[in-house]
Amino acid sequence: MTLLSNQAFDILRQIPLYVPGKPIQEVQRELGLASIVKLASNENPWGPTEAVKARLRKAVEGSSDEGLGLYPVSDGYYLRTAIARRRGLNVDQLILGNGSSEIIEMAAKAALVGGGSAVAPKHAFAIYGIATQTAGGRFIECPCSPTELDVDAILAAVQADTRVVFLGNPNNPTGVMLGREGLERLVRDLRDDILLVVDQAYAEYEDPETYPDAKAYLEERSNLLVLHTFSKIHALAALRIGYGIGHHKLLALLERVRSPFNTNMLAQAAAEVAIEDYAFEAMSRARNHEARQAFLKEAQEHRCQVTGMAGNFMLLESMLPAAELFKDLLRAGVIVRPMQGYGLPNHVRVTMGKPEEMDAFWAAITPILDNAGCGCR
Ligand SMILES: Cc1ncc(COP(=O)(O)O)c(C=O)c1O
């Protein structure tokens, strides 16, 4: 049976599959466990808010201009207006995606439309490579240590045919961040015909006073695209919505690869409410900070190494192979993310949940580490 041309078949087989966090229902189905804690996909355990849920109920109910039977506003004009107000931007500096992952795909499609390569640091979000390859581009992973984002290494990895560079700041899964100086150097020293995508999915978890927001360089570099998502601090992962900020001329080009109606009406409506909720954001940031501090302390007591201190997750290194630790934790009802596929064979990534969820995590992992002779208690 011939499914696709030999050439397409060979190219597609080379593209790694994205492995998402294991859903709770799947673990229930497979292991028959009643109580499961999911700390695998960097979701926000504190939301969404009642105001967001009320807006969703109203949208489902419908009105003369909004309802499940009507197509959504294709370009998300009203949500873009709300984001522009909140972030001090013009509406034409914003584009929406079905999750920020879709904007990563749009950026790759647009930048690599005539071929070429994309660069991203090693140990970064898997979609950078997948989006590059599905757009027909060559993916160059630059050698970076898991403990540092190295601007020189990124710049050195750039080739003559490079058309786009992806940087997660903070980086997922390592939780490390490029400071203002490093970011400035990348913005200024990267060849000016290369699209620079700074993915700020976890930016809102950092102190707004000190976070080096790439948005500050939009005037300086017209081919800069800054990404945000509603999946993390805004707690709307199920609705799939994110936004990109860039020069209006750059976004006009991305428009050409955007699917019509790419973001749905419920997501747009919920995000309009969420973007205004400063208090929920501040609460989530504070709780996340507390959770990270508590996690660090526990990790030290368990003699586990922790990498990075940014984002709503921690990368934990133990003596056990990640796949083994992941399975043992699963059997104990805790879902984390094993990181061997990211070149981190002994690391699992743990999302910062509610205190009781973190207690469940440590209660599950302690006997596993002790039995393996690598705990300390
Ligand atoms: C660094 C980074 N960027 C982007 C995303 C995608 O988020 P979404 O597509 O849900 O907006 C994620 C999700 O985990 C991420 O970790």
Side-chain angles (χ1 to χ4, degrees):
M1 179 171 51
T2 305
L3 296 171
L4 293 167
S5 72
N6 285 346
Q7 190 198 16
F9 188 77
D10 288 343
I11 293 172
L12 289 171
R13 268 198 325 179
Q14 307 277 324
I15 301 176
L17 273 182
Y18 181 75
V19 185
K22 221 169 161 50
I24 292 174
Q25 300 91 322
E26 197 173 302
V27 181
Q28 277 168 340
R29 201 173 67 231
E30 287 173 3
L31 298 177
L33 296 172
S35 154
I36 290 161
V37 170
K38 184 182 178 212
L39 303 171
S41 300
N42 299 344
E43 293 137 334
N44 181 350
W46 300 104
T49 61
E50 288 310 315
V52 164
K53 289 189 225 171
R55 179 68 184 89
L56 283 169
R57 279 192 290 271
K58 183 166 166 271
V60 168
E61 202 50 47
S63 63
S64 60
D65 59 1
E66 172 183 89
L68 295 179
L70 299 172
Y71 280 100
V73 178
S74 178
D75 66 356
Y77 176 80
Y78 300 99
L79 173 58
R80 283 161 58 227
T81 305
I83 299 170
R85 199 165 46 235
R86 160 81 200 266
R87 308 279 334 249
L89 296 160
N90 294 323
V91 183
D92 65 3
Q93 289 178 288
L94 286 157
I95 191 163
L96 302 179
N98 195 267
S100 53
S101 315
E102 196 201 21
I103 314 180
I104 295 169
E105 287 166 5
M106 287 191 238
K109 263 194 201 169
L112 298 164
V113 73
S117 66
V119 169
K122 195 172 163 68
H123 317 297
F125 188 41
I127 299 290
Y128 306 147
I130 295 171
T132 298
Q133 288 177 273
T134 53
R138 191 164 59 87
F139 185 55
I140 302 170
E141 211 174 42
C142 88
C144 269
S145 109
T147 54
E148 192 191 12
L149 285 167
D150 181 347
V151 178
D152 293 317
I154 297 171
L155 291 170
V158 166
Q159 306 283 305
D161 72 344
T162 299
R163 305 281 175 256
V164 53
V165 167
F166 294 104
L167 172 82
N169 208 32
N171 184 56
N172 170 28
T174 57
V176 293
M177 223 164 72
L178 208 54
R180 198 171 304 278
E181 195 222 343
L183 183 64
E184 218 157 85
R185 217 145 54 76
L186 187 61
V187 167
R188 294 185 181 153
D189 293 355
L190 182 67
R191 226 174 52 220
D192 61 10
D193 63 330
I194 296 175
L195 172 63
L196 174 59
V197 179
V198 183
D199 178 353
Q200 302 192 157
Y202 301 95
E204 296 86 350
Y205 282 106
E206 302 314 305
D207 180 351
E209 299 288 319
T210 54
Y211 177 72
D213 192 342
K215 175 169 146 306
Y217 305 102
L218 286 171
E219 297 266 314
E220 211 172 302
R221 194 176 172 104
S222 51
N223 55 2
L224 169 66
L225 181 66
V226 183
L227 304 184
H228 286 267
T229 179
F230 284 91
S231 301
K232 307 300 174 185
I233 208 156
H234 299 294
L236 295 178
L239 292 176
R240 312 302 304 124
I241 186 139
Y243 61 98
I245 310 173
H247 193 285
H248 68 95
K249 288 191 175 162
L250 170 68
L251 300 191
L253 292 171
L254 290 194
E255 260 312 289
R256 303 193 177 250
V257 296
R258 184 178 70 81
S259 304
F261 312 108
N262 62 326
T263 63
N264 70 76
M265 176 273 280
L266 294 176
Q268 290 180 25
E272 268 181 51
V273 176
I275 195 73
E276 305 281 0
D277 199 337
Y278 293 64
F280 177 69
E281 236 181 275
M283 183 276 281
S284 299
R285 181 161 50 243
R287 294 269 158 88
N288 181 62
H289 182 74
E290 287 160 17
R292 285 200 303 217
Q293 297 301 327
F295 191 90
L296 199 58
K297 196 159 158 274
E298 284 284 348
Q300 275 161 356
E301 282 176 24
H302 285 78
R303 280 202 212 130
C304 290
Q305 204 68 36
V306 169
T307 304
M309 270 302 275
N312 65 345
F313 55 88
M314 288 280 195
L315 187 63
L316 186 80
E317 182 177 8
S318 80
M319 309 271 279
L320 287 173
E324 197 179 308
L325 180 54
F326 166 71
K327 279 196 194 136
D328 288 347
L329 284 170
L330 215 53
R331 277 191 280 271
V334 177
I335 317 174
V336 297
R337 198 74 159 265
M339 285 292 139
Q340 68 275 15
Y342 287 72
L344 300 162
N346 283 66
H347 296 70
V348 294
R349 195 194 63 197
V350 186
T351 302
M352 297 299 99
K354 292 182 171 174
E356 60 271 26
E357 294 173 322
M358 302 318 291
D359 289 347
F361 169 77
W362 289 110
I365 200 172
T366 301
I368 298 170
L369 293 178
D370 285 346
N371 283 344
C374 46
C376 69
R377 304 210 270 206

